[in-house]
Amino acid sequence: MLNAWHLPVAPFVQTRKEKLHITLWLAGDDLPERVVLRCEKDNEETSITMTRQKNAPYEGVVAWSGAIDLSCGQPRRRYSFKLLWLDKQRWFAPKGFSPIPPARLEQFAFDAPDEGPQWVQDQVFYQIFPDRFARSQPRKAGQDQIYYHHAAKREIILRDWDDPLEGEAGGSTFYGGDLDGISEKLPYLKKLGITALYLNPVFTAPSVHKYDTQDYRHVDVQFGGDHALLRLRKNTQQQGMRLVLDGVFNHSGDTHPWFDRQRATEDGACNNPRSPWRDFYSFSEEGRALDWLGYSSLPKLDYSSESLIEEIYQGEDSVVRHWLREPWGMDGWRLDVVHMLGEEGGAKNNLLHVSGITKAAKETKADAYVLGEHFGDARQWLQVDAEDAAMNYRGFTFPVWGFLANTDISYDPQHIDAQICIAWMDEYRASLSHQQQLRMFNQLDSHDTARFKSILGKDIARLPLAVVWLYCWPGVPCVYYGDEVGLDGFNDPFCRKPFPWNKRDQDLDLLALYQRLGKLRRQSRALRQGGCHVVYAEGDVVVFVRVYQNERVLVAINRGEQTNVTLPWNPLLSGKAWTQHEGEAKLGNRELSLPGVSVAVWRSL
């Protein structure tokens, strides 16, 4: 049997003297006579003969090496390995061996040079729904003002922090969380190991969620206004934290002066065909504005309009550029339902405009992080670098839900074993470059889903398994506020409960796990920048190792009953002295003894 090992990180990939040196390890009885490195030069296939190394990295392992010239060609270096015998050939790529050449987008990919934001992969993000995280005192003018919420056809509701959340009027119910409240809790987040914040929308809007933007140029007074965001920006910088805003550019709210359904003036596009902003929106032949998914309060923006393009992203003082510049100095944008943005009430020319947003952001701030929200397959956008990364629902959240919670995003039953789960995850990331994988935004849940704790139901004991997976899988982990203390809740609005600041309402053991994992990730370059190799995936058990240079982090997940597992021989694990960081599992030479419903983490330097 033939085995092969290659990851697009050191020690398998190293850059020296304008060349990308690539190594493949092979072991088995039927070794090939020759190995060819298949790569590209300006999208044209090129074959490079690899050399068999005299010194073996491990006993029984043969190493082959070749080099790609970095002085020319496209930055994304795609490659695979062609193994040749006298009478046959096999190919090796991220999805394993194949008798036929792998598809172009299913090869190893390494960005050299890497033009993406270098800081992202080293972060632990924290997502905050501003009204529900922390409430500052004393209150400032306008923060608790009662007003009529037209979309809900009622006045807004103000609740005390400890009042229970009810299903009625979820979009109109405010608890008074604000940006100064976030500033006050930065020491808590620092202790948690958080290094970057992603905020749900903060701009002026009538709802609690603020996805119905009324003014892209100002922060809502309920959150403390512009000065509160400035204070938060300065405070996060003092703590060494990054700050990413939510950009809602697919639609505006119907109270925005551009649209103005409520006739605050006579100039809004909703009621005035001669409005200067009429072409910012699409209208049916009957004059009805086209909206987003049937929500009349969210009229779709129409990027056929050159004036809208200038206002949102292209102009020198566009919204995208404005908040990245000083004095704001934001570190990037999360783009809401960005796959639906486009022209004529739909997604026409979507890639053109998403790329335009990213281009404007990078021109304004070279290391800005542009992150797309995609519940579906995001690779169409990522493979052409229209975005730096995506919220990794398809490549992380959904398979983890399927394996640990037996459900899919529609909350329909889904029963998958370890082999199917890992095939799903590996297939998705195989189509991305190594650096893109490291910047993918991994979450267990968000403001748009039920809390993972709640969907686990009777399998709540599996929650720590998912938390370790979140921190150890390739990508940047993001903690949805309150997950770390055991906050629960099914779909909106119950996934948006106020943070329970009273310690008696917190799961302190779970909090301690998050804190330990944040510390481990900060210490481990393998977790932040390393490659990932799945060692074992059968039945209820997943075992994978993160690799960077000589460092290894080994993770074993068992969702089922107590079991013993014999790992296949693997040079990535050989000769290592392991230190256990999490769990009660026992690791022998190649033997794992795993308690029921357990997770364990070992590290070797």
Side-chain angles (χ1 to χ4, degrees):
M1 181 178 178
L2 184 63
N3 290 300
W5 297 270
H6 176 81
L7 297 170
V9 294
F12 297 98
V13 171
Q14 300 188 41
T15 302
R16 298 193 304 270
K17 297 181 179 179
E18 283 296 304
K19 289 186 180 296
L20 189 67
H21 294 266
I22 295 173
T23 300
L24 173 69
W25 291 355
L26 295 172
D29 299 326
D30 188 22
L31 294 173
E33 309 245 342
R34 292 185 291 135
V35 178
V36 173
L37 180 64
R38 184 272 184 206
C39 57
E40 297 177 354
K41 181 179 179 181
D42 293 326
N43 302 325
E44 176 69 14
E45 289 192 18
T46 302
S47 295
I48 297 173
T49 299
M50 300 189 76
T51 302
R52 180 168 173 165
Q53 299 300 294
K54 295 179 180 178
N55 298 324
Y58 292 93
E59 184 178 353
V61 176
V62 175
W64 292 78
S65 63
I68 297 175
D69 184 3
L70 297 180
S71 65
C72 57
Q74 301 301 304
R76 182 147 299 144
R77 314 293 171 165
R78 302 186 187 277
Y79 60 93
S80 56
F81 302 97
K82 183 180 183 180
L83 282 58
L84 291 161
W85 291 260
L86 290 176
D87 57 351
K88 64 178 181 179
Q89 63 177 254
R90 293 174 77 184
W91 293 76
F92 184 71
K95 294 168 69 174
F97 285 112
S98 172
I100 61 174
R104 180 172 185 267
L105 297 179
E106 294 182 352
Q107 302 186 67
F108 294 104
F110 187 87
D111 294 333
D114 175 16
E115 298 172 350
Q118 305 291 316
W119 56 271
V120 172
Q121 63 202 26
D122 292 328
Q123 309 306 308
V124 175
F125 269 85
Y126 194 81
Q127 179 190 348
I128 294 178
F129 194 82
D131 182 68
R132 307 291 165 79
F133 181 62
R135 177 185 173 101
S136 69
Q137 296 291 349
R139 311 298 287 162
K140 297 177 177 62
Q143 281 196 274
D144 296 329
Q145 178 184 353
I146 300 289
Y147 60 85
Y148 190 79
H149 187 192
H150 289 279
K153 297 182 174 57
R154 65 176 303 154
E155 287 190 335
I156 67 163
I157 301 167
L158 289 177
R159 294 200 184 279
D160 290 332
W161 198 258
D162 294 325
D163 287 349
L165 184 64
E166 299 175 358
E168 182 186 6
S172 306
T173 301
F174 289 81
Y175 280 80
D178 56 16
L179 302 185
D180 284 328
I182 298 173
S183 284
E184 292 170 6
K185 298 300 184 181
L186 290 182
Y188 163 81
L189 294 174
K190 189 82 170 180
K191 185 177 180 181
L192 181 60
I194 300 303
T195 61
L197 304 183
Y198 149 49
L199 305 184
N200 286 112
V202 299
F203 303 126
T204 303
S207 71
V208 68
H209 53 71
K210 307 298 181 193
Y211 283 96
D212 48 350
T213 312
Q214 184 174 321
D215 186 346
Y216 288 101
R217 301 283 180 170
H218 293 286
V219 175
D220 200 298
V221 294
Q222 289 170 302
F223 293 161
D226 294 352
H227 291 294
L229 183 60
L230 269 179
R231 288 190 291 272
L232 179 60
R233 172 71 288 198
K234 299 304 180 187
N235 291 333
T236 52
Q237 287 174 335
Q238 289 174 3
Q239 295 285 352
M241 289 183 181
R242 301 283 184 160
L243 186 57
V244 171
L245 297 182
D246 207 329
V248 189
F249 305 136
N250 170 70
H251 52 266
S252 75
D254 65 354
T255 61
H256 197 294
W258 298 340
F259 193 79
D260 190 17
R261 187 187 300 278
Q262 285 71 43
R263 298 179 183 270
T265 70
E266 296 301 318
D267 294 331
C270 179
N271 303 297
N272 183 358
R274 292 177 297 280
S275 166
W277 305 293
R278 184 76 174 187
D279 68 342
F280 279 26
Y281 302 92
S282 298
F283 293 85
S284 67
E285 293 182 359
E286 296 76 26
R288 183 182 64 84
L290 304 185
D291 56 43
W292 179 68
L293 296 183
Y295 293 99
S296 61
S297 62
L298 304 177
K300 279 271 290 184
L301 292 169
D302 186 348
Y303 284 82
S304 300
S305 167
E306 289 296 329
S307 298
L308 177 66
I309 292 171
E310 284 288 301
E311 174 68 22
I312 295 295
Y313 68 84
Q314 193 161 275
E316 277 304 303
D317 192 35
S318 66
V319 174
V320 168
R321 298 180 193 270
H322 174 79
W323 296 101
L324 296 176
R325 289 198 177 107
E326 296 300 331
W328 311 102
M330 298 300 156
D331 292 299
W333 288 102
R334 178 265 193 187
L335 303 178
D336 183 58
V337 291
V338 68
H339 53 287
M340 301 184 75
L341 178 152
E343 303 171 8
E344 301 174 9
K348 181 180 178 181
N349 287 329
N350 173 268
L351 275 174
L352 172 68
H353 297 295
V354 177
S355 298
I357 291 172
T358 299
K359 182 174 183 289
K362 304 292 187 181
E363 288 174 350
T364 309
K365 190 169 189 174
D367 67 346
Y369 182 38
V370 181
L371 165 71
E373 181 204 21
H374 303 267
F375 271 86
D377 191 339
R379 289 174 293 186
Q380 176 184 349
W381 290 264
L382 297 170
Q383 287 164 349
V384 296
D385 294 308
E387 306 162 347
D388 291 313
M391 298 182 78
N392 202 13
Y393 288 111
R394 185 59 62 95
F396 178 80
T397 311
F398 295 170
V400 170
W401 278 29
F403 182 68
L404 293 179
N406 301 315
T407 190
D408 68 6
I409 187 57
S410 301
Y411 309 105
D412 292 324
Q414 182 175 45
H415 295 271
I416 59 175
D417 62 14
Q419 189 172 13
I420 293 173
C421 177
I422 291 300
W424 182 350
M425 299 174 85
D426 277 352
E427 188 274 337
Y428 194 82
R429 67 188 185 94
S431 302
L432 305 175
S433 75
H434 172 65
Q435 290 89 339
Q436 286 177 313
Q437 292 179 39
L438 298 179
R439 296 183 187 118
M440 291 295 279
F441 205 74
N442 294 341
Q443 292 181 278
L444 294 176
D445 47 29
S446 73
H447 67 293
D448 284 323
T449 74
R451 298 267 181 175
F452 187 67
K453 177 181 178 180
S454 292
I455 67 168
L456 279 172
K458 63 180 177 60
D459 292 316
I460 188 65
R462 295 177 176 179
L463 182 55
L465 285 59
V467 176
V468 171
W469 211 336
L470 173 68
Y471 273 76
C472 295
W473 193 253
V476 56
C478 180
V479 179
Y480 183 40
Y481 82 98
D483 274 359
E484 75 278 13
V485 294
L487 195 59
D488 62 3
F490 284 97
N491 279 356
D492 175 26
F494 299 106
C495 58
R496 305 173 181 182
K497 294 178 180 177
F499 191 103
W501 287 107
N502 193 318
K503 288 190 181 297
R504 69 170 180 264
D505 298 323
Q506 298 180 1
D507 184 337
L508 299 180
D509 290 337
L510 184 62
L511 176 61
L513 173 63
Y514 274 92
Q515 291 171 334
R516 293 195 304 272
L517 289 170
K519 181 178 180 181
L520 177 61
R521 186 174 172 87
R522 186 168 63 250
Q523 294 170 343
S524 171
R525 197 166 180 182
L527 290 181
R528 301 194 315 273
Q529 301 177 26
C532 180
H533 175 77
V534 176
V535 179
Y536 183 93
E538 298 286 345
D540 294 327
V541 177
V542 172
V543 182
F544 63 89
V545 62
R546 299 295 303 279
V547 176
Y548 192 91
Q549 297 282 23
N550 292 320
E551 185 191 357
R552 308 284 188 270
V553 175
L554 183 67
V555 179
I557 296 166
N558 176 26
R559 71 175 182 185
E561 297 179 355
Q562 189 281 332
T563 189
N564 296 316
V565 169
T566 300
L567 301 178
W569 180 83
N570 193 311
L572 294 175
L573 307 180
S574 295
K576 292 293 181 180
W578 298 98
T579 300
Q580 190 158 1
H581 287 263
E582 292 293 336
E584 303 298 326
K586 304 300 181 184
L587 174 63
N589 183 18
R590 287 167 46 200
E591 304 299 322
L592 273 177
S593 178
L594 303 174
V597 190
S598 66
V599 63
V601 180
W602 297 267
R603 185 177 180 219
S604 177
L605 297 174

